[in-house]
Amino acid sequence: MVVRYESLVAGPGDTRRGGLRFLGVDATLSAVRHCIAAGAFETMSGGRPPGVEDRSSFLRRGMPGNWRDHLSPQGNRAFLAVAGEVLAQLGYQT
């Protein structure tokens, strides 16, 4: 199963329900809601809402799409050299 961060943000319930079903575990509405609450950016970041950046945190911003802005040009090239083919297969523009 492939899970994209963008899917988790855009459709948290459907994406998590699909993941729980894939794992063969409880996929009831209650379980899905629990997973959403436990994995929410606000929960995991200690209360910071998505979009509020903390560059010192592993959970930097809580929004998809700006990873290129935070890698050096050399880091970006190195990442794309290793992951570029897979990123293309998954529909990401490289």
Side-chain angles (χ1 to χ4, degrees):
M1 177 176 191
V2 174
V3 177
R4 296 172 54 132
Y5 184 62
E6 294 85 351
S7 299
L8 285 168
V9 172
D14 291 338
T15 304
R16 283 171 177 82
R17 185 176 303 108
L20 293 171
R21 287 182 178 151
F22 176 80
L23 294 171
V25 297
D26 181 9
T28 61
L29 183 58
S30 175
V32 170
R33 285 182 176 160
H34 176 78
C35 289
I36 290 171
F41 181 78
E42 294 92 339
T43 302
M44 297 182 70
S45 69
R48 197 164 24 99
V52 175
E53 185 173 37
D54 178 353
R55 288 182 174 242
S56 67
S57 174
F58 178 76
L59 302 169
R60 187 177 59 244
R61 201 177 88 161
M63 299 179 74
N66 75 334
W67 60 271
R68 286 184 178 100
D69 298 335
H70 295 279
L71 292 176
S72 68
Q74 298 84 0
N76 194 3
R77 283 192 299 273
F79 176 68
L80 291 175
V82 173
E85 186 177 321
V86 172
L87 290 170
Q89 290 171 357
L90 294 173
Y92 290 99
Q93 293 182 349
T94 57

